[in-house]
Amino acid sequence: MTDATRRTIRTGLQALLGLLAALPLLVSTAGIPETLPGIAVALTVAGAVTRVMALPVVEQLLPAWLRTPPKEDDAQ
């Protein structure tokens, strides 16, 4: 699996988690101005998940096919 594919899958997972957290707010609202809190929650959760997934501890918990490959500098 290429690095670009891994990053795409991880970004999609992060965005999905953000949307799932905001889903109750999005469902209960009908107008665009009323959905702004839901969108803000989705973006906040997606950003937080992105930061957490960048931690080395979390990286080790991910399946091998989803981990970021080691940098060339780290391999030496």
Side-chain angles (χ1 to χ4, degrees):
M1 181 178 299
T2 66
D3 188 42
T5 304
R6 265 188 222 101
R7 281 188 265 151
T8 301
I9 292 171
R10 289 173 65 150
T11 301
L13 176 64
Q14 294 160 1
L16 177 65
L17 289 174
L19 287 173
L20 288 175
L23 193 58
L25 289 173
L26 295 173
V27 169
S28 68
T29 59
I32 296 295
E34 297 170 355
T35 61
L36 286 179
I39 293 169
V41 169
L43 291 174
T44 302
V45 171
V49 170
T50 301
R51 295 283 292 175
V52 169
M53 287 185 78
L55 296 172
V57 173
V58 176
E59 182 77 24
Q60 293 302 315
L61 295 174
L62 293 174
W65 59 271
L66 197 53
R67 291 182 192 153
T68 305
K71 296 178 183 173
E72 296 298 324
D73 298 338
D74 295 343
Q76 296 176 358

mmCIF file of all heavy atoms in Angstrom, residues 33-63:
data_model
loop_
_atom_site.group_PDB
_atom_site.id
_atom_site.type_symbol
_atom_site.label_atom_id
_atom_site.label_comp_id
_atom_site.label_asym_id
_atom_site.label_seq_id
_atom_site.Cartn_x
_atom_site.Cartn_y
_atom_site.Cartn_z
ATOM 1 N N PRO A 33 -27.559 28.229 9.087
ATOM 2 C CA PRO A 33 -26.983 28.916 10.246
ATOM 3 C C PRO A 33 -27.061 28.085 11.523
ATOM 4 O O PRO A 33 -26.197 28.174 12.373
ATOM 5 C CB PRO A 33 -27.821 30.188 10.382
ATOM 6 C CG PRO A 33 -28.393 30.411 9.035
ATOM 7 C CD PRO A 33 -28.574 29.037 8.440
ATOM 8 N N GLU A 34 -28.080 27.246 11.632
ATOM 9 C CA GLU A 34 -28.235 26.427 12.827
ATOM 10 C C GLU A 34 -27.270 25.251 12.846
ATOM 11 O O GLU A 34 -27.047 24.649 13.891
ATOM 12 C CB GLU A 34 -29.674 25.922 12.918
ATOM 13 C CG GLU A 34 -30.677 27.045 13.078
ATOM 14 C CD GLU A 34 -32.112 26.563 12.926
ATOM 15 O OE1 GLU A 34 -32.304 25.387 12.610
ATOM 16 O OE2 GLU A 34 -33.014 27.373 13.117
ATOM 17 N N THR A 35 -26.694 24.889 11.705
ATOM 18 C CA THR A 35 -25.780 23.748 11.663
ATOM 19 C C THR A 35 -24.341 24.136 11.961
ATOM 20 O O THR A 35 -23.489 23.265 12.069
ATOM 21 C CB THR A 35 -25.817 23.055 10.294
ATOM 22 O OG1 THR A 35 -25.416 23.978 9.295
ATOM 23 C CG2 THR A 35 -27.185 22.499 9.997
ATOM 24 N N LEU A 36 -24.068 25.408 12.120
ATOM 25 C CA LEU A 36 -22.695 25.823 12.383
ATOM 26 C C LEU A 36 -22.094 25.170 13.625
ATOM 27 O O LEU A 36 -20.936 24.768 13.591
ATOM 28 C CB LEU A 36 -22.600 27.347 12.463
ATOM 29 C CG LEU A 36 -22.698 28.060 11.112
ATOM 30 C CD1 LEU A 36 -22.622 29.560 11.303
ATOM 31 C CD2 LEU A 36 -21.629 27.593 10.165
ATOM 32 N N PRO A 37 -22.840 25.023 14.738
ATOM 33 C CA PRO A 37 -22.248 24.305 15.870
ATOM 34 C C PRO A 37 -21.884 22.860 15.529
ATOM 35 O O PRO A 37 -20.856 22.357 15.964
ATOM 36 C CB PRO A 37 -23.341 24.352 16.941
ATOM 37 C CG PRO A 37 -24.157 25.538 16.589
ATOM 38 C CD PRO A 37 -24.126 25.623 15.093
ATOM 39 N N GLY A 38 -22.712 22.221 14.728
ATOM 40 C CA GLY A 38 -22.411 20.845 14.314
ATOM 41 C C GLY A 38 -21.160 20.759 13.468
ATOM 42 O O GLY A 38 -20.326 19.869 13.643
ATOM 43 N N ILE A 39 -21.006 21.700 12.562
ATOM 44 C CA ILE A 39 -19.809 21.724 11.717
ATOM 45 C C ILE A 39 -18.581 22.034 12.564
ATOM 46 O O ILE A 39 -17.523 21.433 12.375
ATOM 47 C CB ILE A 39 -19.990 22.749 10.576
ATOM 48 C CG1 ILE A 39 -21.096 22.267 9.630
ATOM 49 C CG2 ILE A 39 -18.693 22.970 9.822
ATOM 50 C CD1 ILE A 39 -21.543 23.291 8.626
ATOM 51 N N ALA A 40 -18.718 22.935 13.512
ATOM 52 C CA ALA A 40 -17.598 23.262 14.395
ATOM 53 C C ALA A 40 -17.174 22.055 15.217
ATOM 54 O O ALA A 40 -15.980 21.797 15.386
ATOM 55 C CB ALA A 40 -17.974 24.428 15.306
ATOM 56 N N VAL A 41 -18.148 21.302 15.719
ATOM 57 C CA VAL A 41 -17.824 20.082 16.474
ATOM 58 C C VAL A 41 -17.111 19.081 15.579
ATOM 59 O O VAL A 41 -16.106 18.474 15.976
ATOM 60 C CB VAL A 41 -19.105 19.460 17.090
ATOM 61 C CG1 VAL A 41 -18.828 18.069 17.626
ATOM 62 C CG2 VAL A 41 -19.639 20.350 18.190
ATOM 63 N N ALA A 42 -17.605 18.897 14.367
ATOM 64 C CA ALA A 42 -16.988 17.940 13.440
ATOM 65 C C ALA A 42 -15.543 18.322 13.151
ATOM 66 O O ALA A 42 -14.643 17.466 13.177
ATOM 67 C CB ALA A 42 -17.788 17.875 12.146
ATOM 68 N N LEU A 43 -15.290 19.594 12.896
ATOM 69 C CA LEU A 43 -13.927 20.025 12.615
ATOM 70 C C LEU A 43 -13.024 19.900 13.835
ATOM 71 O O LEU A 43 -11.857 19.512 13.720
ATOM 72 C CB LEU A 43 -13.934 21.467 12.103
ATOM 73 C CG LEU A 43 -14.550 21.670 10.720
ATOM 74 C CD1 LEU A 43 -14.619 23.154 10.388
ATOM 75 C CD2 LEU A 43 -13.759 20.920 9.672
ATOM 76 N N THR A 44 -13.558 20.208 15.002
ATOM 77 C CA THR A 44 -12.766 20.099 16.227
ATOM 78 C C THR A 44 -12.389 18.653 16.516
ATOM 79 O O THR A 44 -11.238 18.347 16.831
ATOM 80 C CB THR A 44 -13.542 20.693 17.416
ATOM 81 O OG1 THR A 44 -13.848 22.060 17.128
ATOM 82 C CG2 THR A 44 -12.748 20.604 18.698
ATOM 83 N N VAL A 45 -13.361 17.756 16.406
ATOM 84 C CA VAL A 45 -13.083 16.342 16.665
ATOM 85 C C VAL A 45 -12.119 15.788 15.623
ATOM 86 O O VAL A 45 -11.179 15.058 15.960
ATOM 87 C CB VAL A 45 -14.393 15.524 16.707
ATOM 88 C CG1 VAL A 45 -14.108 14.036 16.747
ATOM 89 C CG2 VAL A 45 -15.231 15.940 17.904
ATOM 90 N N ALA A 46 -12.316 16.136 14.355
ATOM 91 C CA ALA A 46 -11.408 15.659 13.313
ATOM 92 C C ALA A 46 -9.983 16.162 13.568
ATOM 93 O O ALA A 46 -9.015 15.409 13.411
ATOM 94 C CB ALA A 46 -11.891 16.106 11.940
ATOM 95 N N GLY A 47 -9.843 17.411 13.982
ATOM 96 C CA GLY A 47 -8.521 17.943 14.303
ATOM 97 C C GLY A 47 -7.895 17.257 15.503
ATOM 98 O O GLY A 47 -6.698 16.941 15.494
ATOM 99 N N ALA A 48 -8.694 17.005 16.521
ATOM 100 C CA ALA A 48 -8.185 16.326 17.715
ATOM 101 C C ALA A 48 -7.759 14.894 17.394
ATOM 102 O O ALA A 48 -6.705 14.435 17.845
ATOM 103 C CB ALA A 48 -9.238 16.334 18.814
ATOM 104 N N VAL A 49 -8.557 14.197 16.609
ATOM 105 C CA VAL A 49 -8.213 12.815 16.238
ATOM 106 C C VAL A 49 -6.939 12.808 15.394
ATOM 107 O O VAL A 49 -6.082 11.934 15.553
ATOM 108 C CB VAL A 49 -9.387 12.141 15.498
ATOM 109 C CG1 VAL A 49 -8.972 10.815 14.892
ATOM 110 C CG2 VAL A 49 -10.561 11.943 16.440
ATOM 111 N N THR A 50 -6.786 13.777 14.532
ATOM 112 C CA THR A 50 -5.575 13.877 13.717
ATOM 113 C C THR A 50 -4.345 14.039 14.596
ATOM 114 O O THR A 50 -3.326 13.384 14.386
ATOM 115 C CB THR A 50 -5.682 15.060 12.740
ATOM 116 O OG1 THR A 50 -6.820 14.865 11.907
ATOM 117 C CG2 THR A 50 -4.449 15.188 11.881
ATOM 118 N N ARG A 51 -4.452 14.912 15.601
ATOM 119 C CA ARG A 51 -3.318 15.115 16.511
ATOM 120 C C ARG A 51 -3.008 13.849 17.313
ATOM 121 O O ARG A 51 -1.855 13.492 17.505
ATOM 122 C CB ARG A 51 -3.615 16.262 17.479
ATOM 123 C CG ARG A 51 -3.767 17.612 16.837
ATOM 124 C CD ARG A 51 -2.473 18.205 16.455
ATOM 125 N NE ARG A 51 -1.719 18.532 17.665
ATOM 126 C CZ ARG A 51 -0.499 18.980 17.659
ATOM 127 N NH1 ARG A 51 0.121 19.174 16.530
ATOM 128 N NH2 ARG A 51 0.118 19.249 18.780
ATOM 129 N N VAL A 52 -4.038 13.174 17.781
ATOM 130 C CA VAL A 52 -3.836 11.960 18.572
ATOM 131 C C VAL A 52 -3.233 10.854 17.709
ATOM 132 O O VAL A 52 -2.340 10.134 18.145
ATOM 133 C CB VAL A 52 -5.165 11.502 19.218
ATOM 134 C CG1 VAL A 52 -5.047 10.117 19.804
ATOM 135 C CG2 VAL A 52 -5.591 12.494 20.283
ATOM 136 N N MET A 53 -3.698 10.724 16.470
ATOM 137 C CA MET A 53 -3.172 9.670 15.598
ATOM 138 C C MET A 53 -1.724 9.912 15.216
ATOM 139 O O MET A 53 -1.033 8.989 14.782
ATOM 140 C CB MET A 53 -4.041 9.529 14.355
ATOM 141 C CG MET A 53 -5.370 8.867 14.655
ATOM 142 S SD MET A 53 -6.348 8.561 13.185
ATOM 143 C CE MET A 53 -5.524 7.111 12.540
ATOM 144 N N ALA A 54 -1.230 11.132 15.380
ATOM 145 C CA ALA A 54 0.170 11.431 15.074
ATOM 146 C C ALA A 54 1.105 11.016 16.206
ATOM 147 O O ALA A 54 2.321 10.991 16.011
ATOM 148 C CB ALA A 54 0.330 12.914 14.776
ATOM 149 N N LEU A 55 0.572 10.680 17.375
ATOM 150 C CA LEU A 55 1.409 10.274 18.503
ATOM 151 C C LEU A 55 2.043 8.910 18.233
ATOM 152 O O LEU A 55 1.394 8.005 17.707
ATOM 153 C CB LEU A 55 0.572 10.201 19.784
ATOM 154 C CG LEU A 55 -0.021 11.518 20.279
ATOM 155 C CD1 LEU A 55 -0.970 11.259 21.441
ATOM 156 C CD2 LEU A 55 1.077 12.475 20.686
ATOM 157 N N PRO A 56 3.306 8.732 18.609
ATOM 158 C CA PRO A 56 3.973 7.451 18.378
ATOM 159 C C PRO A 56 3.267 6.273 19.064
ATOM 160 O O PRO A 56 3.231 5.168 18.516
ATOM 161 C CB PRO A 56 5.373 7.659 18.965
ATOM 162 C CG PRO A 56 5.575 9.135 18.966
ATOM 163 C CD PRO A 56 4.215 9.738 19.149
ATOM 164 N N VAL A 57 2.697 6.496 20.232
ATOM 165 C CA VAL A 57 1.999 5.413 20.947
ATOM 166 C C VAL A 57 0.801 4.936 20.146
ATOM 167 O O VAL A 57 0.573 3.734 20.004
ATOM 168 C CB VAL A 57 1.553 5.906 22.347
ATOM 169 C CG1 VAL A 57 0.690 4.885 23.026
ATOM 170 C CG2 VAL A 57 2.747 6.263 23.192
ATOM 171 N N VAL A 58 0.036 5.865 19.603
ATOM 172 C CA VAL A 58 -1.132 5.507 18.807
ATOM 173 C C VAL A 58 -0.694 4.868 17.501
ATOM 174 O O VAL A 58 -1.321 3.921 17.024
ATOM 175 C CB VAL A 58 -2.017 6.748 18.551
ATOM 176 C CG1 VAL A 58 -3.178 6.421 17.645
ATOM 177 C CG2 VAL A 58 -2.506 7.321 19.873
ATOM 178 N N GLU A 59 0.393 5.351 16.939
ATOM 179 C CA GLU A 59 0.926 4.782 15.694
ATOM 180 C C GLU A 59 1.205 3.287 15.870
ATOM 181 O O GLU A 59 0.927 2.487 14.978
ATOM 182 C CB GLU A 59 2.202 5.535 15.307
ATOM 183 C CG GLU A 59 2.816 5.089 14.023
ATOM 184 C CD GLU A 59 2.099 5.597 12.796
ATOM 185 O OE1 GLU A 59 1.413 6.629 12.866
ATOM 186 O OE2 GLU A 59 2.216 4.934 11.762
ATOM 187 N N GLN A 60 1.723 2.904 17.025
ATOM 188 C CA GLN A 60 2.022 1.493 17.278
ATOM 189 C C GLN A 60 0.761 0.657 17.465
ATOM 190 O O GLN A 60 0.785 -0.552 17.260
ATOM 191 C CB GLN A 60 2.921 1.366 18.519
ATOM 192 C CG GLN A 60 4.295 1.952 18.313
ATOM 193 C CD GLN A 60 5.020 1.313 17.155
ATOM 194 O OE1 GLN A 60 5.031 0.107 16.993
ATOM 195 N NE2 GLN A 60 5.629 2.143 16.324
ATOM 196 N N LEU A 61 -0.354 1.283 17.852
ATOM 197 C CA LEU A 61 -1.611 0.562 18.033
ATOM 198 C C LEU A 61 -2.335 0.305 16.714
ATOM 199 O O LEU A 61 -3.193 -0.570 16.643
ATOM 200 C CB LEU A 61 -2.538 1.342 18.979
ATOM 201 C CG LEU A 61 -2.052 1.495 20.414
ATOM 202 C CD1 LEU A 61 -2.993 2.408 21.189
ATOM 203 C CD2 LEU A 61 -1.945 0.138 21.092
ATOM 204 N N LEU A 62 -1.983 1.062 15.676
ATOM 205 C CA LEU A 62 -2.631 0.908 14.380
ATOM 206 C C LEU A 62 -2.182 -0.387 13.709
ATOM 207 O O LEU A 62 -1.072 -0.870 13.952
ATOM 208 C CB LEU A 62 -2.282 2.087 13.473
ATOM 209 C CG LEU A 62 -2.819 3.448 13.885
ATOM 210 C CD1 LEU A 62 -2.254 4.528 12.968
ATOM 211 C CD2 LEU A 62 -4.327 3.468 13.841
ATOM 212 N N PRO A 63 -3.021 -0.954 12.859
ATOM 213 C CA PRO A 63 -2.578 -2.134 12.101
ATOM 214 C C PRO A 63 -1.372 -1.783 11.231
ATOM 215 O O PRO A 63 -1.221 -0.624 10.812
ATOM 216 C CB PRO A 63 -3.787 -2.486 11.224
ATOM 217 C CG PRO A 63 -4.892 -1.603 11.624
ATOM 218 C CD PRO A 63 -4.382 -0.551 12.535
#
